[in-house]
Amino acid sequence: GFSVSHSDEDDYDATAVALDASWNSSDSSRTWNVSFSSSQDNVEPTQGVIPVFIEEDELETQSMYFGVSQILSRTAIARIGLNYIYSEGYLSDPYKLRDIRPDTHERLALSLGYRRFLIDFDASLQLDYRYYADSWGTDSHALELAWAQNLSSSLLTPYVRYYSQRQADFFDVVADSNENYYADDYRLSSYGAFTLGARWSVSLNEQWTLQLEAERYETAKGWGLYSGSEAPALVDFWRGTVALIWRID
């Protein structure tokens, strides 16, 4: 497939193109997926109460993905995927006083997934894992376990997710502006996080589905697998979504 997209905000606009393809093995038990995307972004920070240090800058990003899914049995399927992203340009946060980041960023992510349908329970067990590493010294692990239970005209999926990351090389609670690169953004710190949630999809008819989702997200330095400075701005929150999905056959 081929797609072109454009987004325009007060301080940001981006244009992207994407290509993707997939094909099956001769017995249709294995599927390969590949994709490539490229985006050209333009950053124009809003000049307001918070001082900013640039008027305009650019960012280019290239992304590649390769994945394989394999049917293991009539009730089980597994997948593996590898994603590489390269960005070059303005990568700092223009609204933070102590934030100077490298102008290149390489990211690599390995994802694994497993699905098994349990006939006796009319439900499926879902397990996903993702490992991430980048050129800024950050690496992370994400593990999610879900149970998708079929109900009368609906599907209820409770899930739990664990996430842990190592802080970036240039992160500190109080950024040192004497260094070449520095940042105090808590999202670049070492921490661990748990998410507990549930998603309920209700079939209204053959074309329309109502989807409700709620989750609780909590973070703490002590829940992480890595050492590092404890960021004071780690967040906890509730999130809820309501979606109405229209299927076109």
Side-chain angles (χ1 to χ4, degrees):
F2 175 75
S3 65
V4 178
S5 63
H6 179 78
S7 61
D8 196 348
E9 302 178 19
D10 290 341
D11 59 355
Y12 200 90
D13 67 79
T15 301
V17 296
L19 296 166
D20 66 85
S22 63
W23 62 96
N24 298 325
S25 60
S26 58
D27 61 358
S28 296
S29 66
R30 181 176 299 170
T31 301
W32 290 270
N33 298 280
V34 295
S35 65
F36 172 79
S37 66
S38 178
S39 68
Q40 177 72 48
D41 307 345
N42 191 56
V43 183
E44 294 184 65
T46 303
Q47 307 292 328
V49 176
I50 300 175
V52 295
F53 303 103
I54 65 166
E55 293 185 358
E56 184 178 4
D57 216 322
E58 295 181 346
L59 172 64
E60 294 183 3
T61 299
Q62 322 296 331
S63 175
M64 293 175 287
Y65 173 82
F66 176 76
V68 180
S69 60
Q70 175 69 49
I71 296 175
L72 304 177
S73 69
R74 68 188 185 97
T75 59
I77 187 171
R79 63 169 177 79
I80 183 172
L82 190 64
N83 185 210
Y84 174 76
I85 304 173
Y86 178 79
S87 297
E88 183 174 10
Y90 186 76
L91 292 161
S92 303
D93 189 331
Y95 301 112
K96 291 185 179 296
L97 295 176
R98 298 184 180 91
D99 198 287
I100 300 296
R101 309 182 190 189
D103 57 8
T104 61
H105 194 192
E106 292 184 85
R107 287 149 283 175
L108 186 67
L110 172 68
S111 59
L112 305 172
Y114 177 77
R115 302 289 185 271
R116 184 176 184 86
F117 185 72
L118 304 173
I119 299 174
D120 293 341
F121 297 94
D122 194 20
S124 65
L125 177 68
Q126 303 176 357
L127 182 63
D128 292 287
Y129 169 77
R130 180 177 182 266
Y131 173 73
Y132 166 92
D134 68 20
S135 59
W136 291 356
T138 300
D139 60 291
S140 67
H141 302 270
L143 181 65
E144 180 173 319
L145 178 65
W147 180 273
Q149 180 65 58
N150 286 303
L151 303 172
S152 177
S153 300
S154 67
L155 178 67
L156 179 63
T157 308
Y159 57 86
V160 60
R161 183 186 308 121
Y162 173 71
Y163 176 81
S164 176
Q165 81 169 28
R166 187 199 309 271
Q167 69 182 39
D169 293 336
F170 50 85
F171 169 82
D172 208 336
V173 174
V174 179
D176 185 357
S177 58
N178 293 318
E179 298 291 336
N180 291 331
Y181 305 115
Y182 49 88
D184 55 11
D185 188 336
Y186 76 91
R187 293 169 295 183
L188 298 175
S189 69
S190 292
Y191 68 91
F194 281 97
T195 303
L196 183 64
R199 183 168 48 253
W200 188 31
S201 298
V202 183
S203 178
L204 303 178
N205 54 42
E206 292 184 356
Q207 288 185 304
W208 290 95
T209 300
L210 175 65
Q211 184 169 285
L212 309 175
E213 185 172 2
E215 64 178 32
R216 174 63 177 174
Y217 175 86
E218 292 195 4
T219 61
K221 169 65 178 65
W223 293 347
L225 302 174
Y226 304 105
S227 60
S229 304
E230 183 171 359
L234 293 176
V235 297
D236 303 326
F237 59 83
W238 286 94
R239 184 179 70 90
T241 60
V242 178
L244 192 60
I245 303 170
W246 181 34
R247 177 180 175 180
I248 302 175
D249 294 323

